[in-house]
C-alpha cells in the first residue's frame, strides 16, 4: 500500500497533522489542504488515491468540494471519506448523496480513521473486479451473480422479489460503503417499483430474513441508510 497518496482536507492544523502522522505510520503518504479551494486546486494537479474531507471548511465547504470532485472523478477512482460533527446526520446523508463513500464523526480515533482509509483504498481496487466478473461473494456463503440475476446461499438459490434483488445488488456494488435510502430508491426505480423510505426498511427486513445467517451483513447505519459488509470480520471494524 506504500504508493498510495491521500489528500487530507482540514483547516484545523492539529487534527490534520494527527491524521497525517497516523497515516504515515501505516505507510500511507498524505498531503494536507487547509481549505476547500486549496483541495480542489491540488486535485486538479494530481489526483490522490483517497480524500479525507472535513465538511467544515473556510471558503468552499466540504459538501461543495465533494460535489465538485464527483463532477470529474468517479467513486471507484477516488474514494471520499467525510469527517463530520457528531450528530450531523443531515450532512452525512447529503454528503453520501453527493458521492462520498464513507464518513467518520468527530471526535474520532485516528486508528479508526486509518482503518477506514485502508478499507477505501482496498475496496476501490476490488470494486472493479466485482463489476467485471459480475459475480460477488460475501462471507464465503452468499453469492450474487449479477450476470444471471441470481443469489445463492450455500450454493442454493434464494427466492428474492425483484425489489429485494435490486436492493441487494445495489448494496453489493460497493461493499462496505453506506448507501442512503434515497440512493437505494433511485437505484431500483424504473423496474416498475415504487418505493418510499419506509418501504425500503420493510424490504431490507424481508431480505435479511431470507438471507438467514448472512442477513446481518446488511447493517443499518442509524439515521443514514444501509451498508453491506463483505464479511463478519469487516463488520467488526
Ligand atoms: Ca474544519
Amino acid at each position: 500500500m506504500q504508493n498510495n497518496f491521500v489528500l487530507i482536507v482540514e483547516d484545523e492544523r492539529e487534527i490534520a497533522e494527527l491524521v497525517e502522522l497516523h497515516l504515515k505510520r501505516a505507510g500511507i503518504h498524505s498531503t494536507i489542504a487547509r481549505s476547500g479551494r486549496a483541495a480542489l486546486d491540488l486535485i486538479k494537479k494530481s489526483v490522490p488515491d483517497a480524500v479525507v474531507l472535513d465538511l467544515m471548511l473556510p471558503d468552499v465547504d466540504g459538501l461543495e468540494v465533494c460535489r465538485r470532485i464527483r463532477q470529474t472523478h468517479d467513486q471507484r477512482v477516488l474514494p471520499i471519506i467525510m469527517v463530520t460533527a457528531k450528530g450531523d446526520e443531515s450532512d452525512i446523508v447529503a454528503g453520501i448523496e453527493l458521492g462520498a463513500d464513507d464518513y467518520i464523526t468527530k471526535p474520532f480515533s485516528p486508528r479508526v480513521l486509518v482503518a477506514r482509509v485502508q478499507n477505501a483504498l482496498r475496496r476501490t481496487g476490488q470494486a472493479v473486479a466485482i463489476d467485471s466478473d459480475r459475480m460477488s461473494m460475501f462471507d464465503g456463503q452468499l453469492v450474487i451473480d449479477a450476470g444471471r440475476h441470481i443469489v445463492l446461499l450455500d450454493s442454493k438459490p434464494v427466492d428474492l422479489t425483484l425489489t429485494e434483488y435490486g436492493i441487494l445488488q445495489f448494496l453489493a456494488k460497493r461493499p462496505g460503503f453506506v448507501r442512503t435510502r434515497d440512493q437505494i430508491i433511485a437505484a431500483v426505480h424504473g423496474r416498475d417499483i415504487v418505493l418510499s423510505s419506509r418501504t425500503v426498511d420493510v424490504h431490507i427486513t424481508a431480505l435479511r430474513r431470507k438471507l438467514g445467517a448472512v442477513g446481518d451483513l446488511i447493517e443499518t447505519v442509524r439515521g443514514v441508510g444501509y451498508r453491506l459488509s463483505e464479511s463478519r470480520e469487516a463488520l467488526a471494524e
Side-chain angles (χ1 to χ4, degrees), residues 6-13 15-16 19 32-37 39 51-67 69 80-86 88 91 95 100 102-108 113:
V6 171
L7 177 63
I8 303 162
V9 191
E10 172 63 87
D11 56 316
E12 286 166 78
R13 188 191 292 271
I15 296 177
V19 172
I32 299 170
R34 306 275 306 276
S35 73
R37 201 171 302 283
V51 180
V52 175
L53 177 65
D54 185 40
L55 291 192
M56 296 278 283
L57 294 168
D59 62 57
V60 186
D61 75 30
L63 288 178
E64 179 60 19
V65 171
C66 187
R67 196 181 66 78
I69 291 174
I80 300 173
I81 301 161
M82 292 182 288
V83 180
T84 69
K86 207 177 177 91
D88 251 346
D91 269 356
D102 202 354
Y103 70 94
I104 189 162
T105 54
K106 282 182 177 177
F108 55 83
L113 179 66

Side-chain angles (χ1 to χ4, degrees), residues 85-157:
K86 207 177 177 91
D88 251 346
E89 284 168 357
S90 59
D91 269 356
I92 296 169
V93 170
I96 289 173
E97 280 168 3
L98 286 171
D101 300 283
D102 202 354
Y103 70 94
I104 189 162
T105 54
K106 282 182 177 177
F108 55 83
S109 131
R111 193 186 56 81
V112 173
L113 179 66
V114 169
R116 295 289 175 81
V117 169
Q118 286 172 326
N119 285 344
L121 295 171
R122 182 167 51 85
R123 285 180 180 133
T124 297
Q126 273 180 354
V128 177
I130 285 171
D131 244 24
S132 54
D133 291 342
R134 300 190 43 86
M135 178 119 105
S136 39
M137 163 100 72
F138 294 84
D139 214 45
Q141 288 177 284
L142 176 69
V143 172
I144 301 166
D145 184 343
R148 294 193 294 157
H149 263 253
I150 54 169
V151 173
L152 302 170
L153 183 60
D154 289 328
S155 314
K156 294 187 198 79

Side-chain angles (χ1 to χ4, degrees), residues 196-213:
S196 68
S197 297
R198 202 173 291 268
T199 54
V200 167
D201 297 348
V202 175
H203 290 294
I204 293 269
T205 303
L207 190 51
R208 280 191 182 125
R209 199 176 52 235
K210 289 184 182 177
L211 296 180

